[in-house]
Amino acid sequence: MRRWRNETWTWSEWDGAERERRIAGTGWKHECTKTEGRSNSCVGAGGDRNAMGETKTCTVRTRKFMTNRLLQRRQFVVDVLHPGRPNVSKSELQEKLGKMYNVSDTKAIILFGFRTQFGGGRSTGFGLIYDSVEAAKKFEPTYRLVRFGLAEKVTTSRKQIKERKNRAKKLRGKKKAAVTSKK
């Protein structure tokens, strides 16, 4: 039994034409094709898709491009159009932006803050292209460097952090700076 707009029906109650009309009325289309070596792969209204149901193409556009000489980088807003695909990986975007802006080392490209628009098909985020990997390590926050594999995550226990904080509360001046700087 299936529910359809407060109606209860079964597939056997309808003939094929009625079923197609109901499916077409929802804007949803589903066709299954047989491929060699694999099970059924689905082809929907979105065009050519691979076995995962994703289109292979995505369009990358940049806007609000700015050169920031003080921080040795170029910064911009990245718009990614990816119809029929849930999202695009940052590594794939790094490669595409590296080709667009002739970057020799893609590790100098930092991408963050991506949000997918409601309904999918388009994402927007921020991009930074540093002049060198050394400049990225100098100016980027540590957590972003860890994400892109440019730094190792420092792991300390919560208890150690709290003890250091409480020791620092009891000190002032140079002694406090010496206690807090030891990480």
Side-chain angles (χ1 to χ4, degrees), residues 55-170:
T55 55
K56 295 178 183 174
T57 60
C58 70
T59 306
V60 179
R61 293 187 184 137
T62 60
R63 58 187 167 90
K64 296 186 178 179
F65 190 91
M66 178 178 150
T67 303
N68 190 336
R69 285 291 104 216
L70 288 174
L71 297 177
Q72 302 174 18
R73 71 186 184 195
R74 294 170 274 179
Q75 54 196 45
F76 45 87
V77 175
V78 182
D79 289 325
V80 184
L81 301 173
H82 47 90
R85 193 169 171 182
N87 220 327
V88 183
S89 68
K90 289 180 186 172
S91 59
E92 186 178 339
L93 292 175
Q94 279 179 323
E95 292 170 11
K96 288 192 178 235
L97 288 169
K99 289 177 186 173
M100 283 173 59
Y101 290 105
N102 298 324
V103 179
S104 59
D105 192 3
T106 57
K107 289 186 177 183
I109 301 173
I110 307 292
L111 301 169
F112 62 96
F114 278 86
R115 301 286 298 198
T116 305
Q117 281 189 351
F118 181 76
R122 182 175 174 160
S123 299
T124 304
F126 298 100
L128 308 170
I129 300 176
Y130 283 92
D131 295 343
S132 64
V133 177
E134 290 76 29
K137 288 181 179 179
K138 182 178 178 182
F139 294 113
E140 272 299 294
T142 309
Y143 76 93
R144 276 197 219 136
L145 294 176
V146 169
R147 277 185 193 170
F148 288 95
L150 298 175
E152 292 295 320
K153 185 175 181 178
V154 179
T155 56
T156 57
S157 69
R158 287 176 54 86
K159 188 171 184 179
Q160 286 176 333
I161 294 169
K162 290 178 181 183
E163 285 173 356
R164 185 184 312 133
K165 176 192 63 125
N166 290 330
R167 276 196 307 269
K169 280 182 182 178
K170 299 172 188 171

